[in-house]
């Protein structure tokens, strides 16, 4: 009996830490249709990471009186209760995850509005993700990323190279200081009759037909997720890398190729970028990654278009 009570107490404790402490209360003014919780909780998630802000305080709002503000500063990395660590994997984030509101199959509609402040900076070759549809026990399937040319959609239904596809949705110049309305119609299935369509400000920008998942459960995440912090630091110190390589010698073919790619502001390889940073960071003069701030509003999910309250 005593052993049973101990097990029950530990189960309740773990349950409370996993769910009650993480679920966030988003007002109907800003979100509906899903329950979200903080990705990487506890001491790692800063108070400024996500905030519900008000129009009366001078914040941009798409509709109603409130919006959601995300902010990621240099060093905002943490780890999951399991083995994953953003800090060890060259990543930073403040995200909200709908992992407890997962979907298994069928047709859904999603909408959100997104706002890039006028002073926003594209930090490529660092990759900024501002939302994703992920799979439980699997890879992301659709990610909304800021790539070299701007706000883009990246498709990775499986981790095979032939399944990778990316498409630019908005340019770097046109996003600044404006609200953009995103509408999605998706059918989750492993079969060929799946689809994923994206409208930006009522204009169809992306129309994919085919399998939309490779695992059982799909869920939504949104916020700011920065991947490849060392890519940015290496890029702004690329001249120092040349000096580092000359003085240290014993440079691998991968490292030399990565340097050539950095000089052209291209993706240098994730692990190679980390290795170069560790090898050459003592040479760097610039070590500051700009803060990323982004706003979301009208984050909706429903089984029909009418349920997501599309803004006209």
């Amino acid at each position: 009996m005593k052993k049973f009570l101990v097990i029950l107490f530990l189960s309740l404790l773990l349950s409370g830490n996993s769910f009650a402490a993480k679920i966030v209360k988003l007002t109907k003014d800003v979100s509906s249709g899903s329950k979200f919780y903080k990705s990487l909780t506890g001491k790692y998630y800063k108070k400024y990471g996500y905030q519900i802000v008000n129009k009366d305080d001078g914040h941009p709002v798409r509709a109603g009186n409130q919006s959601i503000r995300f902010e990621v500063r240099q060093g905002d990395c943490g780890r999951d209760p399991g083995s994953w660590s953003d800090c060890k994997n060259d990543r930073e984030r403040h995200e909200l995850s709908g992992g407890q509101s997962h979907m298994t199959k069928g047709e859904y509609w999603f909408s959100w509005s997104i706002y890039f402040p006028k002073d926003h900076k594209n930090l490529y070759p660092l990759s900024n993700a501002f939302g994703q549809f992920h799979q439980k026990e699997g890879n992301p399937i659709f990610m909304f990323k800021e790539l070299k040319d701007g706000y883009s959609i990246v498709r990775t239904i499986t981790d095979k190279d032939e399944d990778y596809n990316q498409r630019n949705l908005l340019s770097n110049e046109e996003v600044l200081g404006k609200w953009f309305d995103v509408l999605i119609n998706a059918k989750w299935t492993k079969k060929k009759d799946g689809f994923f369509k994206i409208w930006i400000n009522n204009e169809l920008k992306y129309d994919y037909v085919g399998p939309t998942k490779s695992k059982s459960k799909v869920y939504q995440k949104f916020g700011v997720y920065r991947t490849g912090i060392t890519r940015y630091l290496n890029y702004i110190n690329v001249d120092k890398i040349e000096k580092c390589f000359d003085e240290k010698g014993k440079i691998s073919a991968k490292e030399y190729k990565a340097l050539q790619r950095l000089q052209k502001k291209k993706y240098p390889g994730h692990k190679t970028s980390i290795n170069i940073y560790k090898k050459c960071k003592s040479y760097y003069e610039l070590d500051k990654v700009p803060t990323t701030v982004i706003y979301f509003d009208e984050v909706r999910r429903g089984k029909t278009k009418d349920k997501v309250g599309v803004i006209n």
Side-chain angles (χ1 to χ4, degrees), residues 80-110:
D80 282 323
S83 59
W84 177 261
S85 169
D86 276 348
C87 304
K88 292 181 180 179
N89 287 280
D90 205 22
R91 291 168 165 89
E92 299 168 341
R93 81 171 94 188
H94 278 127
E95 278 186 308
L96 295 182
S97 171
Q100 303 306 318
S101 299
H102 61 258
M103 300 154 282
T104 55
K105 62 180 180 179
E107 184 176 350
Y108 286 84
W109 288 83
F110 306 86

PDB file of all heavy atoms in Angstrom, residues 80-110:
ATOM      1  N   ASP A  80      14.725  20.123 -23.050  1.00  0.00           N
ATOM      2  CA  ASP A  80      13.521  19.403 -22.681  1.00  0.00           C
ATOM      3  C   ASP A  80      13.814  18.504 -21.486  1.00  0.00           C
ATOM      4  O   ASP A  80      14.986  18.228 -21.180  1.00  0.00           O
ATOM      5  CB  ASP A  80      13.035  18.540 -23.851  1.00  0.00           C
ATOM      6  CG  ASP A  80      12.319  19.377 -24.899  1.00  0.00           C
ATOM      7  OD1 ASP A  80      11.601  20.320 -24.510  1.00  0.00           O
ATOM      8  OD2 ASP A  80      12.469  19.083 -26.086  1.00  0.00           O
ATOM      9  N   PRO A  81      12.744  18.002 -20.801  1.00  0.00           N
ATOM     10  CA  PRO A  81      12.966  17.066 -19.698  1.00  0.00           C
ATOM     11  C   PRO A  81      13.725  15.813 -20.139  1.00  0.00           C
ATOM     12  O   PRO A  81      14.368  15.155 -19.347  1.00  0.00           O
ATOM     13  CB  PRO A  81      11.543  16.720 -19.255  1.00  0.00           C
ATOM     14  CG  PRO A  81      10.749  17.927 -19.615  1.00  0.00           C
ATOM     15  CD  PRO A  81      11.332  18.392 -20.918  1.00  0.00           C
ATOM     16  N   GLY A  82      13.651  15.501 -21.443  1.00  0.00           N
ATOM     17  CA  GLY A  82      14.381  14.345 -21.960  1.00  0.00           C
ATOM     18  C   GLY A  82      15.823  14.693 -22.260  1.00  0.00           C
ATOM     19  O   GLY A  82      16.493  15.361 -21.487  1.00  0.00           O
ATOM     20  N   SER A  83      16.307  14.292 -23.444  1.00  0.00           N
ATOM     21  CA  SER A  83      17.724  14.465 -23.754  1.00  0.00           C
ATOM     22  C   SER A  83      18.015  15.665 -24.639  1.00  0.00           C
ATOM     23  O   SER A  83      19.181  16.035 -24.805  1.00  0.00           O
ATOM     24  CB  SER A  83      18.247  13.198 -24.448  1.00  0.00           C
ATOM     25  OG  SER A  83      17.513  12.950 -25.637  1.00  0.00           O
ATOM     26  N   TRP A  84      16.990  16.290 -25.237  1.00  0.00           N
ATOM     27  CA  TRP A  84      17.240  17.364 -26.191  1.00  0.00           C
ATOM     28  C   TRP A  84      17.711  18.635 -25.493  1.00  0.00           C
ATOM     29  O   TRP A  84      17.177  19.048 -24.474  1.00  0.00           O
ATOM     30  CB  TRP A  84      15.991  17.675 -26.999  1.00  0.00           C
ATOM     31  CG  TRP A  84      16.209  18.833 -27.925  1.00  0.00           C
ATOM     32  CD1 TRP A  84      15.842  20.127 -27.741  1.00  0.00           C
ATOM     33  CD2 TRP A  84      16.910  18.808 -29.179  1.00  0.00           C
ATOM     34  NE1 TRP A  84      16.247  20.914 -28.793  1.00  0.00           N
ATOM     35  CE2 TRP A  84      16.909  20.131 -29.692  1.00  0.00           C
ATOM     36  CE3 TRP A  84      17.535  17.800 -29.910  1.00  0.00           C
ATOM     37  CZ2 TRP A  84      17.506  20.456 -30.910  1.00  0.00           C
ATOM     38  CZ3 TRP A  84      18.127  18.128 -31.118  1.00  0.00           C
ATOM     39  CH2 TRP A  84      18.106  19.436 -31.606  1.00  0.00           C
ATOM     40  N   SER A  85      18.704  19.289 -26.080  1.00  0.00           N
ATOM     41  CA  SER A  85      19.208  20.558 -25.569  1.00  0.00           C
ATOM     42  C   SER A  85      19.402  21.515 -26.731  1.00  0.00           C
ATOM     43  O   SER A  85      20.174  21.235 -27.656  1.00  0.00           O
ATOM     44  CB  SER A  85      20.540  20.364 -24.837  1.00  0.00           C
ATOM     45  OG  SER A  85      21.148  21.617 -24.563  1.00  0.00           O
ATOM     46  N   ASP A  86      18.709  22.662 -26.704  1.00  0.00           N
ATOM     47  CA  ASP A  86      18.930  23.685 -27.720  1.00  0.00           C
ATOM     48  C   ASP A  86      20.346  24.241 -27.627  1.00  0.00           C
ATOM     49  O   ASP A  86      20.991  24.513 -28.643  1.00  0.00           O
ATOM     50  CB  ASP A  86      17.937  24.845 -27.529  1.00  0.00           C
ATOM     51  CG  ASP A  86      16.597  24.576 -28.190  1.00  0.00           C
ATOM     52  OD1 ASP A  86      16.502  23.619 -28.969  1.00  0.00           O
ATOM     53  OD2 ASP A  86      15.641  25.320 -27.923  1.00  0.00           O
ATOM     54  N   CYS A  87      20.821  24.434 -26.407  1.00  0.00           N
ATOM     55  CA  CYS A  87      22.139  25.042 -26.203  1.00  0.00           C
ATOM     56  C   CYS A  87      23.241  24.209 -26.853  1.00  0.00           C
ATOM     57  O   CYS A  87      24.171  24.752 -27.460  1.00  0.00           O
ATOM     58  CB  CYS A  87      22.425  25.204 -24.711  1.00  0.00           C
ATOM     59  SG  CYS A  87      21.169  26.142 -23.809  1.00  0.00           S
ATOM     60  N   LYS A  88      23.142  22.904 -26.738  1.00  0.00           N
ATOM     61  CA  LYS A  88      24.163  22.025 -27.301  1.00  0.00           C
ATOM     62  C   LYS A  88      24.012  21.845 -28.808  1.00  0.00           C
ATOM     63  O   LYS A  88      24.922  21.359 -29.472  1.00  0.00           O
ATOM     64  CB  LYS A  88      24.106  20.651 -26.619  1.00  0.00           C
ATOM     65  CG  LYS A  88      24.524  20.671 -25.159  1.00  0.00           C
ATOM     66  CD  LYS A  88      24.456  19.278 -24.563  1.00  0.00           C
ATOM     67  CE  LYS A  88      24.884  19.273 -23.099  1.00  0.00           C
ATOM     68  NZ  LYS A  88      24.803  17.915 -22.496  1.00  0.00           N
ATOM     69  N   ASN A  89      22.844  22.245 -29.326  1.00  0.00           N
ATOM     70  CA  ASN A  89      22.570  22.042 -30.751  1.00  0.00           C
ATOM     71  C   ASN A  89      22.469  23.350 -31.535  1.00  0.00           C
ATOM     72  O   ASN A  89      21.826  23.407 -32.582  1.00  0.00           O
ATOM     73  CB  ASN A  89      21.291  21.218 -30.923  1.00  0.00           C
ATOM     74  CG  ASN A  89      21.490  19.763 -30.563  1.00  0.00           C
ATOM     75  OD1 ASN A  89      22.018  18.981 -31.348  1.00  0.00           O
ATOM     76  ND2 ASN A  89      21.089  19.389 -29.351  1.00  0.00           N
ATOM     77  N   ASP A  90      23.079  24.426 -30.984  1.00  0.00           N
ATOM     78  CA  ASP A  90      23.225  25.679 -31.719  1.00  0.00           C
ATOM     79  C   ASP A  90      21.873  26.331 -32.033  1.00  0.00           C
ATOM     80  O   ASP A  90      21.674  26.868 -33.117  1.00  0.00           O
ATOM     81  CB  ASP A  90      23.996  25.409 -33.020  1.00  0.00           C
ATOM     82  CG  ASP A  90      24.724  26.643 -33.537  1.00  0.00           C
ATOM     83  OD1 ASP A  90      24.992  27.546 -32.730  1.00  0.00           O
ATOM     84  OD2 ASP A  90      25.032  26.692 -34.744  1.00  0.00           O
ATOM     85  N   ARG A  91      20.956  26.304 -31.034  1.00  0.00           N
ATOM     86  CA  ARG A  91      19.611  26.814 -31.239  1.00  0.00           C
ATOM     87  C   ARG A  91      19.152  27.685 -30.066  1.00  0.00           C
ATOM     88  O   ARG A  91      19.646  27.535 -28.948  1.00  0.00           O
ATOM     89  CB  ARG A  91      18.627  25.663 -31.432  1.00  0.00           C
ATOM     90  CG  ARG A  91      18.808  24.896 -32.744  1.00  0.00           C
ATOM     91  CD  ARG A  91      18.013  23.599 -32.726  1.00  0.00           C
ATOM     92  NE  ARG A  91      17.872  23.014 -34.047  1.00  0.00           N
ATOM     93  CZ  ARG A  91      18.740  22.163 -34.592  1.00  0.00           C
ATOM     94  NH1 ARG A  91      19.825  21.818 -33.906  1.00  0.00           N
ATOM     95  NH2 ARG A  91      18.537  21.670 -35.798  1.00  0.00           N
ATOM     96  N   GLU A  92      18.181  28.557 -30.353  1.00  0.00           N
ATOM     97  CA  GLU A  92      17.544  29.393 -29.336  1.00  0.00           C
ATOM     98  C   GLU A  92      16.065  29.491 -29.685  1.00  0.00           C
ATOM     99  O   GLU A  92      15.700  29.475 -30.862  1.00  0.00           O
ATOM    100  CB  GLU A  92      18.162  30.798 -29.322  1.00  0.00           C
ATOM    101  CG  GLU A  92      19.644  30.821 -28.995  1.00  0.00           C
ATOM    102  CD  GLU A  92      20.298  32.174 -29.270  1.00  0.00           C
ATOM    103  OE1 GLU A  92      19.714  32.974 -30.045  1.00  0.00           O
ATOM    104  OE2 GLU A  92      21.396  32.411 -28.737  1.00  0.00           O
ATOM    105  N   ARG A  93      15.215  29.634 -28.656  1.00  0.00           N
ATOM    106  CA  ARG A  93      13.785  29.737 -28.970  1.00  0.00           C
ATOM    107  C   ARG A  93      12.955  30.269 -27.822  1.00  0.00           C
ATOM    108  O   ARG A  93      13.323  30.182 -26.654  1.00  0.00           O
ATOM    109  CB  ARG A  93      13.239  28.368 -29.371  1.00  0.00           C
ATOM    110  CG  ARG A  93      12.916  27.471 -28.178  1.00  0.00           C
ATOM    111  CD  ARG A  93      12.190  26.214 -28.594  1.00  0.00           C
ATOM    112  NE  ARG A  93      13.134  25.113 -28.809  1.00  0.00           N
ATOM    113  CZ  ARG A  93      12.778  23.936 -29.334  1.00  0.00           C
ATOM    114  NH1 ARG A  93      11.541  23.728 -29.709  1.00  0.00           N
ATOM    115  NH2 ARG A  93      13.673  22.984 -29.489  1.00  0.00           N
ATOM    116  N   HIS A  94      11.792  30.820 -28.211  1.00  0.00           N
ATOM    117  CA  HIS A  94      10.637  31.005 -27.353  1.00  0.00           C
ATOM    118  C   HIS A  94       9.434  30.670 -28.233  1.00  0.00           C
ATOM    119  O   HIS A  94       9.063  31.447 -29.107  1.00  0.00           O
ATOM    120  CB  HIS A  94      10.536  32.440 -26.819  1.00  0.00           C
ATOM    121  CG  HIS A  94      11.394  32.677 -25.627  1.00  0.00           C
ATOM    122  ND1 HIS A  94      12.310  33.712 -25.553  1.00  0.00           N
ATOM    123  CD2 HIS A  94      11.498  32.011 -24.443  1.00  0.00           C
ATOM    124  CE1 HIS A  94      12.938  33.667 -24.384  1.00  0.00           C
ATOM    125  NE2 HIS A  94      12.465  32.640 -23.697  1.00  0.00           N
ATOM    126  N   GLU A  95       8.885  29.500 -28.024  1.00  0.00           N
ATOM    127  CA  GLU A  95       7.779  28.992 -28.843  1.00  0.00           C
ATOM    128  C   GLU A  95       6.612  28.585 -27.973  1.00  0.00           C
ATOM    129  O   GLU A  95       6.772  28.297 -26.782  1.00  0.00           O
ATOM    130  CB  GLU A  95       8.214  27.732 -29.607  1.00  0.00           C
ATOM    131  CG  GLU A  95       8.974  27.948 -30.877  1.00  0.00           C
ATOM    132  CD  GLU A  95       9.193  26.618 -31.593  1.00  0.00           C
ATOM    133  OE1 GLU A  95       9.685  25.658 -30.960  1.00  0.00           O
ATOM    134  OE2 GLU A  95       8.852  26.534 -32.784  1.00  0.00           O
ATOM    135  N   LEU A  96       5.441  28.495 -28.596  1.00  0.00           N
ATOM    136  CA  LEU A  96       4.285  27.847 -27.993  1.00  0.00           C
ATOM    137  C   LEU A  96       3.965  26.621 -28.823  1.00  0.00           C
ATOM    138  O   LEU A  96       3.989  26.666 -30.060  1.00  0.00           O
ATOM    139  CB  LEU A  96       3.082  28.795 -27.947  1.00  0.00           C
ATOM    140  CG  LEU A  96       3.223  30.030 -27.057  1.00  0.00           C
ATOM    141  CD1 LEU A  96       1.933  30.852 -27.079  1.00  0.00           C
ATOM    142  CD2 LEU A  96       3.596  29.663 -25.626  1.00  0.00           C
ATOM    143  N   SER A  97       3.681  25.507 -28.154  1.00  0.00           N
ATOM    144  CA  SER A  97       3.449  24.236 -28.824  1.00  0.00           C
ATOM    145  C   SER A  97       2.038  23.721 -28.560  1.00  0.00           C
ATOM    146  O   SER A  97       1.555  23.781 -27.428  1.00  0.00           O
ATOM    147  CB  SER A  97       4.473  23.199 -28.339  1.00  0.00           C
ATOM    148  OG  SER A  97       4.135  21.905 -28.815  1.00  0.00           O
ATOM    149  N   GLY A  98       1.405  23.225 -29.593  1.00  0.00           N
ATOM    150  CA  GLY A  98       0.082  22.613 -29.463  1.00  0.00           C
ATOM    151  C   GLY A  98       0.158  21.103 -29.433  1.00  0.00           C
ATOM    152  O   GLY A  98      -0.733  20.422 -29.930  1.00  0.00           O
ATOM    153  N   GLY A  99       1.213  20.580 -28.844  1.00  0.00           N
ATOM    154  CA  GLY A  99       1.436  19.133 -28.829  1.00  0.00           C
ATOM    155  C   GLY A  99       0.339  18.329 -28.170  1.00  0.00           C
ATOM    156  O   GLY A  99       0.151  17.149 -28.468  1.00  0.00           O
ATOM    157  N   GLN A 100      -0.418  18.958 -27.236  1.00  0.00           N
ATOM    158  CA  GLN A 100      -1.520  18.236 -26.598  1.00  0.00           C
ATOM    159  C   GLN A 100      -2.812  18.351 -27.403  1.00  0.00           C
ATOM    160  O   GLN A 100      -3.810  17.737 -27.062  1.00  0.00           O
ATOM    161  CB  GLN A 100      -1.732  18.780 -25.177  1.00  0.00           C
ATOM    162  CG  GLN A 100      -0.498  18.701 -24.292  1.00  0.00           C
ATOM    163  CD  GLN A 100       0.085  17.300 -24.224  1.00  0.00           C
ATOM    164  OE1 GLN A 100      -0.650  16.322 -24.128  1.00  0.00           O
ATOM    165  NE2 GLN A 100       1.407  17.200 -24.270  1.00  0.00           N
ATOM    166  N   SER A 101      -2.787  19.174 -28.471  1.00  0.00           N
ATOM    167  CA  SER A 101      -3.951  19.328 -29.358  1.00  0.00           C
ATOM    168  C   SER A 101      -3.604  18.756 -30.726  1.00  0.00           C
ATOM    169  O   SER A 101      -3.835  19.372 -31.764  1.00  0.00           O
ATOM    170  CB  SER A 101      -4.337  20.805 -29.480  1.00  0.00           C
ATOM    171  OG  SER A 101      -4.696  21.350 -28.237  1.00  0.00           O
ATOM    172  N   HIS A 102      -3.019  17.555 -30.726  1.00  0.00           N
ATOM    173  CA  HIS A 102      -2.544  16.985 -31.973  1.00  0.00           C
ATOM    174  C   HIS A 102      -3.710  16.530 -32.867  1.00  0.00           C
ATOM    175  O   HIS A 102      -4.837  16.347 -32.414  1.00  0.00           O
ATOM    176  CB  HIS A 102      -1.596  15.808 -31.701  1.00  0.00           C
ATOM    177  CG  HIS A 102      -2.238  14.677 -30.958  1.00  0.00           C
ATOM    178  ND1 HIS A 102      -2.035  14.474 -29.609  1.00  0.00           N
ATOM    179  CD2 HIS A 102      -3.089  13.707 -31.365  1.00  0.00           C
ATOM    180  CE1 HIS A 102      -2.732  13.421 -29.221  1.00  0.00           C
ATOM    181  NE2 HIS A 102      -3.375  12.943 -30.270  1.00  0.00           N
ATOM    182  N   MET A 103      -3.408  16.346 -34.138  1.00  0.00           N
ATOM    183  CA  MET A 103      -4.365  15.888 -35.140  1.00  0.00           C
ATOM    184  C   MET A 103      -3.850  14.594 -35.752  1.00  0.00           C
ATOM    185  O   MET A 103      -2.642  14.421 -35.909  1.00  0.00           O
ATOM    186  CB  MET A 103      -4.524  16.964 -36.224  1.00  0.00           C
ATOM    187  CG  MET A 103      -5.032  18.302 -35.695  1.00  0.00           C
ATOM    188  SD  MET A 103      -4.543  19.719 -36.729  1.00  0.00           S
ATOM    189  CE  MET A 103      -2.822  19.940 -36.235  1.00  0.00           C
ATOM    190  N   THR A 104      -4.741  13.697 -36.089  1.00  0.00           N
ATOM    191  CA  THR A 104      -4.334  12.416 -36.670  1.00  0.00           C
ATOM    192  C   THR A 104      -4.660  12.300 -38.153  1.00  0.00           C
ATOM    193  O   THR A 104      -3.880  11.757 -38.925  1.00  0.00           O
ATOM    194  CB  THR A 104      -4.990  11.243 -35.923  1.00  0.00           C
ATOM    195  OG1 THR A 104      -6.419  11.421 -35.919  1.00  0.00           O
ATOM    196  CG2 THR A 104      -4.484  11.170 -34.486  1.00  0.00           C
ATOM    197  N   LYS A 105      -5.819  12.792 -38.554  1.00  0.00           N
ATOM    198  CA  LYS A 105      -6.185  12.713 -39.976  1.00  0.00           C
ATOM    199  C   LYS A 105      -7.313  13.692 -40.265  1.00  0.00           C
ATOM    200  O   LYS A 105      -7.926  14.260 -39.361  1.00  0.00           O
ATOM    201  CB  LYS A 105      -6.641  11.294 -40.331  1.00  0.00           C
ATOM    202  CG  LYS A 105      -7.877  10.827 -39.579  1.00  0.00           C
ATOM    203  CD  LYS A 105      -8.259   9.413 -39.980  1.00  0.00           C
ATOM    204  CE  LYS A 105      -9.502   8.943 -39.210  1.00  0.00           C
ATOM    205  NZ  LYS A 105      -9.893   7.571 -39.604  1.00  0.00           N
ATOM    206  N   GLY A 106      -7.564  13.897 -41.550  1.00  0.00           N
ATOM    207  CA  GLY A 106      -8.689  14.737 -41.950  1.00  0.00           C
ATOM    208  C   GLY A 106      -8.293  16.148 -42.342  1.00  0.00           C
ATOM    209  O   GLY A 106      -7.127  16.540 -42.303  1.00  0.00           O
ATOM    210  N   GLU A 107      -9.299  16.940 -42.714  1.00  0.00           N
ATOM    211  CA  GLU A 107      -9.101  18.287 -43.226  1.00  0.00           C
ATOM    212  C   GLU A 107      -9.237  19.326 -42.118  1.00  0.00           C
ATOM    213  O   GLU A 107     -10.142  19.248 -41.284  1.00  0.00           O
ATOM    214  CB  GLU A 107     -10.109  18.576 -44.329  1.00  0.00           C
ATOM    215  CG  GLU A 107      -9.939  19.915 -45.007  1.00  0.00           C
ATOM    216  CD  GLU A 107     -10.904  20.124 -46.165  1.00  0.00           C
ATOM    217  OE1 GLU A 107     -11.578  19.151 -46.567  1.00  0.00           O
ATOM    218  OE2 GLU A 107     -10.982  21.270 -46.660  1.00  0.00           O
ATOM    219  N   TYR A 108      -8.339  20.310 -42.130  1.00  0.00           N
ATOM    220  CA  TYR A 108      -8.347  21.394 -41.146  1.00  0.00           C
ATOM    221  C   TYR A 108      -8.069  22.724 -41.850  1.00  0.00           C
ATOM    222  O   TYR A 108      -7.464  22.767 -42.922  1.00  0.00           O
ATOM    223  CB  TYR A 108      -7.275  21.173 -40.070  1.00  0.00           C
ATOM    224  CG  TYR A 108      -7.605  20.098 -39.069  1.00  0.00           C
ATOM    225  CD1 TYR A 108      -7.331  18.752 -39.351  1.00  0.00           C
ATOM    226  CD2 TYR A 108      -8.177  20.407 -37.835  1.00  0.00           C
ATOM    227  CE1 TYR A 108      -7.623  17.756 -38.423  1.00  0.00           C
ATOM    228  CE2 TYR A 108      -8.469  19.414 -36.913  1.00  0.00           C
ATOM    229  CZ  TYR A 108      -8.192  18.093 -37.210  1.00  0.00           C
ATOM    230  OH  TYR A 108      -8.488  17.113 -36.300  1.00  0.00           O
ATOM    231  N   TRP A 109      -8.503  23.794 -41.164  1.00  0.00           N
ATOM    232  CA  TRP A 109      -8.179  25.153 -41.581  1.00  0.00           C
ATOM    233  C   TRP A 109      -7.421  25.849 -40.453  1.00  0.00           C
ATOM    234  O   TRP A 109      -7.711  25.630 -39.280  1.00  0.00           O
ATOM    235  CB  TRP A 109      -9.446  25.945 -41.907  1.00  0.00           C
ATOM    236  CG  TRP A 109     -10.118  25.517 -43.172  1.00  0.00           C
ATOM    237  CD1 TRP A 109     -10.988  24.466 -43.330  1.00  0.00           C
ATOM    238  CD2 TRP A 109      -9.989  26.123 -44.462  1.00  0.00           C
ATOM    239  NE1 TRP A 109     -11.391  24.375 -44.635  1.00  0.00           N
ATOM    240  CE2 TRP A 109     -10.799  25.387 -45.362  1.00  0.00           C
ATOM    241  CE3 TRP A 109      -9.267  27.216 -44.952  1.00  0.00           C
ATOM    242  CZ2 TRP A 109     -10.907  25.711 -46.710  1.00  0.00           C
ATOM    243  CZ3 TRP A 109      -9.376  27.545 -46.302  1.00  0.00           C
ATOM    244  CH2 TRP A 109     -10.179  26.800 -47.162  1.00  0.00           C
ATOM    245  N   PHE A 110      -6.441  26.641 -40.836  1.00  0.00           N
ATOM    246  CA  PHE A 110      -5.640  27.397 -39.863  1.00  0.00           C
ATOM    247  C   PHE A 110      -5.497  28.832 -40.366  1.00  0.00           C
ATOM    248  O   PHE A 110      -5.472  29.082 -41.574  1.00  0.00           O
ATOM    249  CB  PHE A 110      -4.234  26.805 -39.707  1.00  0.00           C
ATOM    250  CG  PHE A 110      -4.210  25.343 -39.377  1.00  0.00           C
ATOM    251  CD1 PHE A 110      -4.257  24.388 -40.383  1.00  0.00           C
ATOM    252  CD2 PHE A 110      -4.142  24.911 -38.058  1.00  0.00           C
ATOM    253  CE1 PHE A 110      -4.238  23.034 -40.092  1.00  0.00           C
ATOM    254  CE2 PHE A 110      -4.122  23.561 -37.755  1.00  0.00           C
ATOM    255  CZ  PHE A 110      -4.170  22.615 -38.782  1.00  0.00           C
TER     256      PHE A 110
END
